[in-house]
Amino acid sequence: GEGMYSGEFRDSKFHGTGTYKWENGSVYTGSWAHGKRNGKGQCKFADCGIGSSYDGEWAEDSMHGKGVYTIDKERTFKGNFEQGYPTTGSLTFRKGSKQQEKFDGVVFDGKTFVGGNPIWFWSPPLQPRGPSAPCGKSQQTLPDPQQRLLQLSDQSKEFQVIRDLFLETGPAKCTILKIERVQNPHLRAMHDTRRAMIYQKYAAEDTSSLRLERWLFHSPGVSSTGGCDALSFIIEQGFVPLLSGSVHGEKFGMGTYFAATSGYASKYAKFDPKTGCRRTIVARVVVGKYTQGHETMRQPPPLPGHPGQRFDSLVNTTWGPEIFVIQDSVSACPAYVISYL
C-alpha cells in the first residue's frame, strides 16, 4: 500500500539507508537497493500480531539470510530464511517473564510461514553441570548416551504438537499415557544426509505441489527382531527393510511399511503385557516421489525424466495414499514413541 519514505535515493529509487512507513502502521528501517529491501534491516509488522517483527538480512524485498523473527510475545524464531520463509534455526517459547522452552535445530519446509509449526523439533544441546554455569546456576547434565528415549512433559509445546498430530487422525477412543522423544543423533545425521540428497535431486523442478517429506506412523508390535524387542531395535538401528515385518506381507513391495494416519497404524499396534499399553512410532519420512507398489517390487521402478534414478518410495495408491513403503534404512527416522490405551 501507499506509505512514506525518508532516506537515500539513487536514480529516483530507494537506495542506501532509509525508513519506509506503510499506511497500516508497519515500518522498515535499514538498507535498500534499487527500490527494494536489500541488506540488513528491521521491519515491524502491524498486521501480523502484537509485537511481530523481523531483524536480519533481506534480498529482493524478502527476508533472506540470517535473522530473528519475533512472532509474538511468546514465540521467537532465530535462524535462516529463504525468500521470506524460515528454513532452519531455533524456536523459543516463552511462558511468563522467566520460563522458556527452546528448541535448536528445528526444520521448516520452506513453505510454512514463520508463525506455523516446524516439521521437526530437535532438542537443545545440554550443558554439563559445573562451576562454569552462568550466574552460578547449575544447568542440565549431559544425557546418558544409552538413553535413547526422553519422556516429554505434558505441559511442553513439543508434547502438545505431537499429541495433536497423533489425535488428529487417531483412533476414536484413545488415552495417551506418555510421549517419548527418540534421541539417536547417528540416525538423525544419516536421515539429514538423505533428506538433503532428495531435495537436491529435485532442485531444478517445481515441487510446490508435492510433499517430499511427511510425518508417518509405524506400529512395531511386540515381536522380537534377532532376539531384541522390535521397538528397541528400531530406536537403536533404525528401520531396516530386510528385517521389517508387516501385516500386509509384501503386498505393495518389499520394505518398511508406514501409515499416513495414526488411526490406521493403531489398528496393528498390539497390546504389550510387559508395558501394559500399545505403542506407535511417529517417524519423519522423506518419501520423495512415489508410485504404485506391487508385491513383485524389490526396489522402486525407474523415474521418468531422471536417467539412472528411481522413484523414492512405493504406495498403496497414488491418489491419497494410506500406506508408504520405504526400501532403504535412512529415509525414515524414528522421532517419537507414543504409548497409549
Side-chain angles (χ1 to χ4, degrees), residues 148 228 253 291:
R148 294 303 193 197
C228 177
T291 190

Side-chain angles (χ1 to χ4, degrees), residues 127-139:
Q127 301 296 325
R129 186 189 304 272
S132 60
C135 303
K137 296 181 180 179
S138 62
Q139 299 175 316

Side-chain angles (χ1 to χ4, degrees), residues 280-292:
T280 292
I281 297 173
V282 183
R284 192 64 199 167
V285 186
V286 181
V287 299
K289 287 189 176 182
Y290 51 78
T291 190
Q292 174 77 49

Side-chain angles (χ1 to χ4, degrees), residues 226-249:
C228 177
D229 172 74
L231 177 62
S232 299
F233 182 88
I234 291 172
I235 291 171
E236 190 64 36
Q237 303 293 332
F239 298 99
V240 181
L242 291 176
L243 300 178
S244 296
S246 170
V247 294
H248 296 285

Side-chain angles (χ1 to χ4, degrees), residues 196-237:
M197 291 175 61
I198 292 296
Y199 273 86
Q200 181 60 37
K201 181 178 179 179
Y202 303 113
E205 299 182 27
D206 180 8
T207 58
S208 58
S209 61
L210 298 177
R211 293 172 58 192
L212 296 180
E213 53 187 320
R214 304 179 180 224
W215 287 116
L216 297 178
F217 305 90
H218 178 89
S219 296
V222 295
S223 61
S224 62
T225 304
C228 177
D229 172 74
L231 177 62
S232 299
F233 182 88
I234 291 172
I235 291 171
E236 190 64 36
Q237 303 293 332

Side-chain angles (χ1 to χ4, degrees), residues 5-17:
Y5 174 81
S6 59
E8 299 174 324
F9 287 85
R10 176 183 292 180
D11 298 329
S12 300
K13 294 182 178 180
F14 309 154
H15 194 94
T17 301

Side-chain angles (χ1 to χ4, degrees), residues 146-151 180-183 231 235 337:
Q146 300 304 315
Q147 182 187 358
R148 294 303 193 197
L149 293 174
L150 177 66
Q151 184 170 342
E180 297 167 291
R181 183 202 301 137
V182 178
Q183 299 189 134
L231 177 62
I235 291 171
V337 177

